Each structure stands twice: as structure tokens, then as C-alpha cells.
Amino acid sequence: MLDAHRDARLQDIQTPFYLYDTDLLQQTLDVIRAEAGSHPCYHVHYAIKANSNPVILRQIAAAGLGADCVSGGEIHAAVESGFKPDSIVFAGVGKADWEIRLALQTGIGAFNVESTEELDVIAQLAAEQQLTARISLRINPDVAAHTHAHITTGRAENKFGIDRNHMVEVIRKTLATPHLDFVGLHFHIGSQMLDMSDFLALALRINEIQDQLEAEGIRLPSINVGGGLGVDYDHPDRHPIPDFAAYFATYSDNLRLRPGQHLHFELGRSVVAQMGSLISRVLYVKHGTVKRFAILDAGMTELIRPALYGALHAIQTFDIDGGRPCFASARRDQDYVTYDVVGPICESSDVFARDYPLPPLQRGDMVAIRSAGAYGEVMASCYNCRQLPAAHTVNDLQERLKR
Ligand code: LLP
């Protein structure tokens, strides 16, 4: 009886929706705090671009992380969610004047500056407001990351950062300009990196750069190594929390910090990806001429990563059991069927996975597209005049099913 009641309640919940496991988020934040916290000079800024849902932001701010913002909107969201203004770093190749003014008035910790042209505008706007802008210069380290071409950023040909050959002259200019306070250098080489050798390569390159600058008499109060730690999209349950110990150890073992120097990190995906799933219903199981399609009510409008980057997220059936969400994969020892799992959008790239094994599906079944906590909800669109979906926490969903 209770189950029937619960099932009816579950049927009432509109799909698609994002489901956020805030307990897993808390465990992840606790690990980050434990691993980074053993180094008093380490500061972790959460990259708000990965997920800016207010519930999630408040929880991350309460854990004491700083914020990494890339727009005026993100600065507003950070402050409203309780991130301390001086813990905010502000990056981006194209900061508009109103965004620079907002950042100055907010009293952010540092601008990550990407060009001399931008430096001039910040200096001018700071002078107009009689304020001082703390400046971290983003240097292009020309380090290749082992990840998708669309999300590498640290190569010489990318639009990001200042060329290393011009670094000394831009630092000197920053030091000599009124209303600018030089706080150090910023780097970021890419995203979804699981191979620690990428972070090692960056650490070694930064060592070279520091030695070069010291020979020029330039001291860096702080270094920001950006973000980029990846998650296991294939096995979200096996690896719900990324290997933060190995990540921070790569820096602590290899990056030669000077006494009193601060090290900043900008982690996005690794903080939030695994705590989120996109929950959807099967609208139709269509038997095509050569393929069987599971047509979902979620599509590239709710999770664009497969269409945009060819990303493959694990797909499982979804139910609530004993009050907890449960996800089930196809098992080799049981019957399973392979489907092309697709969305309803009028685009042939609206495909989550091809020939994907799942337990036999029928209309109305719920499925979860896993690891959707990062770059999911934030990249959703209203294409095809669709509505932006709701987001529920696991705890809220449990409450709703009890009532
Ligand atoms: N810092 C900077 C300067 C960045 O550009 C980024 C991400 C981050 C930090 C955070 O990186 P994370 O720790 O999340 O890897 N939409 C793409 C990812 C774009 C990443 C852009 N920059 C995706 O869904 O894979």
C-alpha cells in the first residue's frame, strides 16, 4: 500500500529534473577540506560556472571555499550565496566595464587578467572610483593537457592568457601602475584531466617561470593553478569522490612554493559532477529499421555535453527505494537490451549514447543520466521553446514522497 502511494507520488513528479545528492556533496567538500586544509597556504575557490544552483552554492560557501567567477552575474550569485567578497577571483577574457566596476565595488580578492588591454581598462576604472584592483596575471604556460580539444586552454594557440615572452614586461607595467596591486600569476591548462602528469607538467613549468622571475628581481605573493581535475564518468558509483589526495600531493610534492607564498585552486567539475543526475522518463521505445531507440523527455537542452563534446555519461534506470534513490545498470548475467538513448530535440546530435546496454525499458520508466552535477543545469537552454527543468535535492524528493 505504502509503495503504491509512493509510486503515485513519484509519478506526479515532473521530468526531466536534476537530482542533487547534497550528502555526497558534503562528503566531497569534507575531503577537499581535509586534503587542502593540511596546507594553510592553500585556498580552494569553487568555479561557479560548473553549477550555480543557489542551494549548491550556499552549501559550498558554508564549507568555507572561495569562489571563482567569470561574469558579473556569477559575482552577484557568489555574494548572495555567502561567499566572502575577498575570496572571489574573477577570470575571463572579455570582462565588460560594468563587471569590472561591480568587482571593484564588491572588493574581490583578485582579477585574473588576460591581456594588457584589459589591464589598462581595469586601471582606468579603478582610478575613477579611487579604488585599488588586486591583479593576478594569467600566463599561458603552453602546456598540453590530455583532454578534449574543446576544453584545453593552456596551449600557445588558445585565446587565453598572456604570452610568456611578454610576461616580465606586463608584470613591470602592473607594478608601476597606480591603483593596481600585483598579487601574482594565474594558470589554467584545461578541464576533465585525470592524468596527474598534466598537473605535474604545469607545476614544473611554474617552477621554471618562478626561477626566471626571481632572476629578474620579481617576487610572486601568490600563484593560482586553476582547476581541471576530472571525474570518472564511466563509473560514478565506484568513484563518487575524485582523488583529491593525489591531486593536491602533485602540487605539494612538485611545486616549489616560496616562504609565505599562497597557492590558489579553482575547482569546478570535481566538486559537483558526481552529486548530480539528470532524471528523465522514457517517452517511447521505438523500433527503427536497424536500431532500437529509447526516446527520453530529456535532451541536449538539459545536458549538452554529449552533443557538444561527444561526452558519454553513464545511463541507468532510476527508482526510489527505502527513501533513497537507486540506480541500476544493465547486468551481464541478466537480460539487457541495447538502445540508442536519444532526446526529443529536433537535432540529430541530440543523442546521449549509442548501442547502450540497459535493462529492458518501456514507456514511463525513469532513467538517470549520471555525473550531471557539473556543466549540466548551468548549460541548459530553452531551445525548441522548452522550459528549464526543476532541480531537487535527494532530501527534498524524499520529503515529497513521504507526504
Ligand atoms: N578556472 C578556469 C580559468 C577555467 O576556465 C575553468 C573551466 C575552471 C577553473 C574550472 O575547471 P574544472 O575544475 O571545472 O575543470 N563545459 C565544459 C567544461 C568547460 C570548462 C571551462 N573552464 C564541460 O562540460 O566539460
Side-chain angles (χ1 to χ4, degrees):
M1 185 61 210
L2 243 184
D3 271 355
H5 175 73
R6 188 221 60 179
D7 283 349
R9 286 276 181 244
L10 196 55
Q11 288 312 317
D12 281 351
I13 294 176
Q14 194 184 336
T15 47
F17 63 88
Y18 301 98
L19 181 65
Y20 295 143
D21 182 345
T22 50
D23 293 344
L24 176 58
L25 175 59
Q26 195 56 48
Q27 289 163 25
T28 308
L29 292 168
D30 292 346
V31 171
I32 294 173
R33 264 209 302 210
E35 296 298 338
S38 56
H39 306 272
C41 59
Y42 283 14
H43 308 272
V44 180
H45 304 259
Y46 167 62
I48 290 199
K49 65 168 82 70
N51 187 323
S52 54
N53 183 292
V55 173
I56 301 306
L57 289 189
R58 282 197 291 273
Q59 189 174 342
I60 297 173
L65 272 68
D68 162 26
C69 297
V70 291
S71 70
E74 285 191 358
I75 293 174
H76 279 305
V79 172
E80 277 161 24
S81 304
F83 287 94
K84 293 203 191 84
D86 64 359
S87 80
I88 297 175
V89 294
F90 180 24
V93 288
K95 300 179 186 76
D97 293 14
W98 74 267
E99 295 177 306
I100 295 171
R101 285 197 191 95
L102 171 69
L104 286 165
Q105 282 153 10
T106 305
I108 65 160
F111 288 85
N112 292 337
V113 173
E114 304 252 3
S115 64
T116 47
E117 293 77 4
E118 181 193 333
L119 195 65
D120 292 340
V121 173
I122 295 176
Q124 186 199 328
L125 297 178
E128 277 170 21
Q129 301 189 50
Q130 288 303 304
L131 293 168
T132 298
R134 282 180 288 274
I135 302 295
S136 181
L137 296 172
R138 178 167 180 179
I139 305 302
N140 190 328
D142 199 15
V143 169
H146 297 101
T147 184
H148 197 284
H150 291 184
I151 47 182
T152 62
T153 50
R155 297 305 307 276
E157 63 267 29
N158 285 130
K159 68 177 174 182
F160 299 101
I162 295 165
D163 190 292
R164 221 181 122 185
N165 299 321
H166 302 138
M167 171 177 68
V168 172
E169 110 202 24
V170 185
I171 295 174
R172 291 206 194 288
K173 176 176 171 165
T174 310
L175 288 166
T177 307
H179 298 280
L180 299 183
D181 179 12
F182 176 64
V183 299
L185 297 185
H186 171 240
F187 304 88
H188 175 77
I189 52 172
S191 203
Q192 182 52 18
M193 293 181 292
L194 289 164
D195 190 340
M196 293 300 143
S197 65
D198 289 322
F199 302 112
L200 171 66
L202 177 61
L204 298 179
R205 181 56 53 86
I206 295 174
N207 289 342
E208 264 174 42
I209 290 176
Q210 279 227 89
D211 291 346
Q212 179 195 345
L213 291 176
E214 262 170 7
E216 300 270 354
I218 295 169
R219 195 192 149 266
L220 302 175
S222 71
I223 293 173
N224 182 332
V225 292
L229 177 62
V231 301
D232 188 344
Y233 280 101
D234 298 332
H235 304 289
D237 291 320
R238 214 180 290 165
H239 297 122
I241 300 179
D243 193 351
F244 291 106
Y247 172 74
F248 288 115
T250 302
Y251 285 106
S252 61
D253 293 347
N254 298 289
L255 182 62
R256 285 189 277 113
L257 285 185
R258 308 304 192 248
Q261 208 167 40
H262 293 267
L263 187 61
H264 296 259
F265 301 85
E266 300 171 342
L267 295 174
R269 184 189 323 263
S270 53
V271 184
V272 289
Q274 301 297 45
M275 65 94 201
S277 298
L278 172 62
I279 309 296
S280 172
R281 279 195 178 86
V282 176
L283 291 175
Y284 304 101
V285 175
K286 171 176 167 177
H287 296 262
T289 34
V290 281
K291 292 250 181 178
R292 205 182 312 237
F293 295 96
I295 303 175
L296 306 185
D297 63 4
M300 61 191 285
T301 37
E302 288 72 40
L303 184 68
I304 201 172
R305 303 193 68 259
L308 199 55
Y309 316 116
L312 178 61
H313 288 240
I315 305 173
Q316 295 172 312
T317 57
F318 172 79
D319 199 358
I320 301 270
D321 195 14
R324 295 294 304 169
C326 51
F327 304 104
S329 301
R331 285 175 38 184
R332 284 185 195 286
D333 56 344
Q334 286 181 351
D335 283 351
Y336 65 84
V337 181
T338 56
Y339 297 96
D340 275 16
V341 184
V342 304
I345 308 300
C346 298
E347 294 273 345
S348 36
S349 56
D350 187 26
V351 176
F352 287 113
R354 295 182 202 279
D355 297 319
Y356 198 87
L358 280 162
L361 294 174
Q362 43 183 320
R363 175 174 166 79
D365 283 349
M366 291 177 100
V367 298
I369 301 164
R370 305 294 307 276
S371 312
Y375 306 112
E377 187 179 358
V378 279
M379 294 180 83
S381 81
C382 297
Y383 184 39
N384 287 189
C385 282
R386 284 164 66 81
Q387 270 186 346
L388 292 175
H392 305 296
T393 65
V394 169
N395 296 336
D396 287 349
L397 195 64
Q398 278 171 354
E399 283 306 310
R400 274 181 70 165
L401 295 176
K402 263 191 225 156
R403 267 183 255 139

